[in-house]
Amino acid sequence: MKESLLEILRCPLDKHELELEDAEYADDEDADEDEVVSGTLVCTECGERYPIEDGIPNLLPPDMREETPA
Amino acid sequence: MKESLLEILRCPLDKHELELEDAEYADDEDADEDEVVSGTLVCTECGERYPIEDGIPNLLPPDMREETPA
Amino acid sequence: MSVREEFDDWATSGRDKGMEDRHWNTAKHALARMPVEPGDTILDLGCGSGYAGRALRDNAEAGRVYGLDGSPEMARNATEYTDDSDVGYLVGDFDSLPFADDSIDHVWSMEAFYYAADPHNTLEEIARILRPGGTFYCAVNYYEENVHSHEWQESIDVEMTRWDREEYRRAFREAGLRVAEQDNIPDRETTIPDASAFPTEDWDTREDMVERYREYGTLLTVGVAP
Amino acid sequence: MSVREEFDDWATSGRDKGMEDRHWNTAKHALARMPVEPGDTILDLGCGSGYAGRALRDNAEAGRVYGLDGSPEMARNATEYTDDSDVGYLVGDFDSLPFADDSIDHVWSMEAFYYAADPHNTLEEIARILRPGGTFYCAVNYYEENVHSHEWQESIDVEMTRWDREEYRRAFREAGLRVAEQDNIPDRETTIPDASAFPTEDWDTREDMVERYREYGTLLTVGVAP
Ligand SMILES: Nc1ncnc2c1ncn2[C@@H]1O[C@H](CSCC[C@H](N)C(=O)O)[C@@H](O)[C@H]1O
Ligand SMILES: Nc1ncnc2c1ncn2[C@@H]1O[C@H](CSCC[C@H](N)C(=O)O)[C@@H](O)[C@H]1O
């Protein structure tokens, strides 16, 4: 994801802003902007944490996020 | 025109309500409501008069209403 | 020449019915999209023969439909074509709409809006009379992208406004309407002859005629009062 | 079964591309109606393979397009199908949209809305994130009038909402959206075999298949934030 998505992305639970932690960026010289490959989005209000994996943020509410049961 | 049209019809110039004068009604027993065949609509504010002929009200602004020049 | 002189003439020579036949091919698709609820009040601006209002009463359970036209002869013809007492026609001008604020649920106009002497003012008038959430369905065949329509002005003595798609959207917004959709509705029914028939009286090439009807068709812009 | 389990499966078995092919026949006509201005931000709810966002970037000069899907595998596939850095995909749920108030110009959703666990709440979420005047283009093939779709629920483990046209309009209004249009967009491209081919595996009669595709097609309801 592009870092600018943070401007409109919010915590799905309480709609507060998110902060990016532990960000790793793609080393793409052509990119006009920072492309986040992995990291964590943390709600500035409730502290809930949302993972970014392979550049895709997962903003599912925590109770829908758990792995598929076996 | 049906008399109920008066509820939403207004003077084209100042948008004030219109009053129906000299109304003649169709003698149609099936009609559920009074059908005005001729009469005059008079603006309650500016006094401008608009004719109803053959059941059709003419709400053109007065300067557009005059007969076709020869 | 005035709207009245030009179009009274069309009405008495039967062109109102000819337009109805041609315009219906695309108008019916636009009319079918209108979110009319039972009992709604609908206004048809530049109604001509008045077919749109009759169709909305027959198919969409509209409560009352009024057709406004600047030509007394058009309004007279339209009145004669129906005996539905919930359809009414009146004479009036696009730039001075004789209706109360917030009194209309939907405004429809087919091939007429661009004759307004001051189209920006007409849009403001439409925004004024529509209730919040009411829609304006504005359908035109005469517009900038439809190059095949440009010459129409030559044979009509009323000045016509030729906006492009973007100018329609911008003008709607300037008048306070939200733009909900813009679409070209193809006319799939006008018969287009085989290539061997071209040039015809009206068309140099078959490609032009296909482009005019099947591709450009009618430009519909839908505005919503906020 | 959860949305995630059901649709991760679809994504890994390639059904995302199959849907794209079938849905494109009608989706392209609905997308073409959207009043997108250069630079607009668009959100595709239940994006599947993500084709709608890519099309809006290529044809409508949309500024940024985001596709949201409850299935991580769908979002992963969609990401792989493009290298346009102004198209982004994310995982999320219809009932808890992770966007700021008034942050989106247009919301698009094709064949996905009715999977929402609480569709009324989803509509409120959409009304919340749309800026004033923003539109919601909601396209569905599964709805009450399309009787040929009713059986689909049998083969899908996620509960589906089957509203009729009027229920869509009413629910939009209850959520505070204005209804600007409702339309059936025919699918004119799906091949319908000769009468002699019926019954087929999926269709008893040719009439049914014609009705399903050429008549019912896709139901589009367009809402506008006031
Ligand atoms: N300024 C104006 N005010 C009111 N009516 C006008 C007008 N300018 C043109 N018209 C009317 O608009 C109509 C355009 S012709 C289209 C008629 C009809 N809607 C149809 O689809 O066939 C004519 O009947 C003409 O009299
Ligand atoms: N509650 C929910 N939240 C987010 N996405 C959901 C959802 N329920 C279903 N979906 C997603 O909606 C999609 C429906 S399939 C349609 C995909 C695509 N719009 C197309 O036209 O082909 C699936 O990808 C599914 O994962």
Side-chain angles (χ1 to χ4, degrees):
Chain A
M1 60 166 268
K2 271 193 177 182
E3 198 158 350
S4 60
L5 173 55
L6 280 179
E7 290 160 21
I8 61 168
L9 211 59
R10 294 291 181 274
C11 173
L13 300 178
D14 60 23
K15 319 300 181 191
H16 278 87
E17 292 188 20
L18 298 164
E19 233 161 47
L20 179 59
E21 288 183 7
D22 311 322
E24 280 180 43
Y25 296 90
D27 42 21
D28 179 349
E29 298 189 352
D30 300 342
D32 53 343
E33 199 196 317
D34 290 333
E35 184 74 33
V36 183
V37 176
S38 72
T40 304
L41 295 164
V42 184
C43 177
T44 53
E45 178 77 9
C46 69
E48 190 59 55
R49 302 172 70 81
Y50 303 93
I52 305 172
E53 281 166 28
D54 298 329
I56 302 174
N58 185 332
L59 278 294
L60 282 175
D63 62 335
M64 302 181 81
R65 200 197 306 148
E66 70 276 7
E67 292 308 300
T68 315
Chain B
M1 61 166 266
K2 270 194 177 183
E3 198 159 347
S4 61
L5 174 54
L6 280 178
E7 290 161 21
I8 61 169
L9 211 60
R10 294 292 180 274
C11 174
L13 299 178
D14 59 23
K15 319 300 180 191
H16 278 86
E17 292 188 20
L18 298 165
E19 231 159 48
L20 179 59
E21 287 183 7
D22 311 323
E24 281 180 42
Y25 296 90
D27 41 21
D28 180 349
E29 298 188 352
D30 300 341
D32 54 342
E33 198 195 317
D34 289 335
E35 183 75 33
V36 183
V37 175
S38 73
T40 305
L41 295 163
V42 185
C43 177
T44 54
E45 178 78 10
C46 70
E48 191 59 54
R49 303 172 70 80
Y50 303 93
I52 306 172
E53 281 165 28
D54 299 328
I56 302 173
N58 185 332
L59 277 295
L60 282 174
D63 62 335
M64 302 181 82
R65 200 196 307 150
E66 70 275 7
E67 294 306 301
T68 316
Chain C
M1 206 193 279
S2 71
V3 163
R4 175 178 181 150
E5 290 168 79
E6 174 89 39
F7 292 102
D8 269 356
D9 221 57
W10 291 29
T12 47
S13 63
R15 287 179 68 181
D16 57 334
K17 278 294 194 180
M19 288 195 291
E20 169 172 337
D21 289 345
R22 293 197 310 279
H23 297 166
W24 182 246
N25 296 343
T26 54
K28 65 182 170 192
H29 297 295
L31 286 165
R33 298 182 188 182
M34 271 189 139
V36 177
E37 300 299 335
D40 275 359
T41 298
I42 298 170
L43 174 63
D44 179 1
L45 289 182
C47 60
S49 76
Y51 64 90
R54 293 192 295 273
L56 287 169
R57 278 279 299 162
D58 293 346
N59 304 313
E61 304 177 77
R64 302 237 166 124
V65 182
Y66 300 109
L68 177 147
D69 205 288
S71 150
E73 294 300 334
M74 286 285 184
R76 185 182 302 270
N77 283 0
T79 303
E80 270 167 26
Y81 301 145
T82 183
D83 53 11
D84 177 345
S85 72
D86 285 321
V87 177
Y89 296 97
L90 58 149
V91 180
D93 187 74
F94 294 164
D95 275 312
S96 314
L97 296 181
F99 292 95
D101 297 3
D102 293 359
S103 62
I104 306 285
D105 294 295
H106 304 284
V107 173
W108 163 262
S109 182
M110 172 75 187
E111 275 293 85
F113 173 78
Y114 48 72
Y115 293 117
D118 180 352
H120 293 284
N121 172 62
T122 298
L123 285 172
E124 281 168 27
E125 278 285 87
I126 291 167
R128 178 183 68 76
I129 66 174
L130 279 176
R131 54 113 173 136
T135 71
F136 174 36
Y137 273 61
C138 180
V140 296
N141 297 342
Y142 180 76
Y143 58 96
E144 185 58 29
E145 285 86 353
N146 181 5
V147 291
H148 310 296
S149 71
H150 290 189
E151 66 187 35
W152 300 353
Q153 175 70 82
E154 289 161 30
S155 49
I156 297 180
D157 277 327
V158 177
E159 212 191 309
M160 298 156 80
T161 295
R162 200 174 72 212
W163 285 341
D164 63 21
R165 294 172 60 109
E166 197 197 328
E167 285 174 296
Y168 269 96
R169 298 199 303 276
R170 201 184 323 134
F172 272 48
R173 291 187 181 120
E174 277 168 17
L177 296 170
R178 312 300 198 186
V179 178
E181 87 161 284
Q182 199 168 45
D183 194 25
N184 284 86
I185 301 180
D187 174 344
R188 300 177 193 276
E189 289 168 59
T190 292
T191 309
I192 299 181
D194 285 344
S196 62
F198 291 85
T200 68
E201 203 181 316
D202 293 320
W203 295 99
D204 283 346
T205 68
R206 191 168 192 282
E207 289 64 44
D208 282 355
M209 194 173 176
V210 166
E211 184 178 69
R212 156 71 186 92
Y213 288 102
R214 306 292 193 256
E215 189 179 324
Y216 294 142
T218 292
L219 176 65
L220 175 69
T221 308
V222 176
V224 178
Chain D
M1 207 193 275
S2 71
V3 164
R4 172 176 183 154
E5 290 169 80
E6 174 89 39
F7 293 101
D8 269 357
D9 221 58
W10 291 30
T12 47
S13 62
R15 288 178 68 180
D16 58 333
K17 278 293 194 181
M19 289 194 291
E20 169 172 338
D21 289 345
R22 292 197 311 277
H23 296 166
W24 182 245
N25 295 344
T26 54
K28 65 182 170 192
H29 297 294
L31 286 165
R33 299 181 187 182
M34 270 188 139
V36 177
E37 301 298 335
D40 275 359
T41 298
I42 297 169
L43 173 64
D44 179 0
L45 288 183
C47 61
S49 76
Y51 64 92
R54 295 192 294 273
L56 287 169
R57 278 280 298 163
D58 293 347
N59 303 314
E61 304 179 75
R64 302 238 165 124
V65 182
Y66 300 109
L68 176 147
D69 206 287
S71 150
E73 292 301 332
M74 285 284 184
R76 185 182 301 269
N77 282 0
T79 303
E80 268 167 28
Y81 301 145
T82 183
D83 52 12
D84 177 344
S85 72
D86 285 320
V87 177
Y89 296 96
L90 59 150
V91 180
D93 186 74
F94 293 164
D95 276 312
S96 314
L97 296 181
F99 292 95
D101 297 3
D102 293 0
S103 63
I104 306 286
D105 294 296
H106 303 285
V107 173
W108 162 261
S109 182
M110 172 75 186
E111 274 293 85
F113 173 78
Y114 49 71
Y115 292 117
D118 180 353
H120 295 284
N121 173 63
T122 298
L123 285 171
E124 282 167 27
E125 277 286 86
I126 291 167
R128 178 182 68 77
I129 66 175
L130 280 175
R131 53 114 173 134
T135 71
F136 173 35
Y137 272 59
C138 180
V140 296
N141 297 343
Y142 179 76
Y143 58 97
E144 186 58 29
E145 285 87 352
N146 182 4
V147 291
H148 310 296
S149 71
H150 291 189
E151 67 187 34
W152 299 354
Q153 175 70 83
E154 289 161 31
S155 49
I156 297 179
D157 277 327
V158 177
E159 212 191 311
M160 298 156 80
T161 295
R162 200 173 74 212
W163 285 340
D164 63 22
R165 294 171 60 110
E166 197 197 328
E167 285 174 298
Y168 268 96
R169 298 200 302 277
R170 200 186 322 137
F172 271 48
R173 291 187 181 119
E174 276 168 18
L177 296 169
R178 312 300 197 186
V179 177
E181 87 162 284
Q182 198 169 45
D183 195 24
N184 284 86
I185 302 180
D187 173 344
R188 301 177 192 276
E189 288 167 62
T190 293
T191 308
I192 298 182
D194 284 344
S196 61
F198 292 84
T200 69
E201 203 180 317
D202 293 320
W203 296 98
D204 283 346
T205 68
R206 191 167 192 279
E207 289 64 43
D208 282 354
M209 194 174 176
V210 166
E211 185 177 69
R212 156 71 186 94
Y213 288 101
R214 305 294 194 255
E215 188 178 324
Y216 294 142
T218 291
L219 176 66
L220 175 69
T221 308
V222 176
V224 178

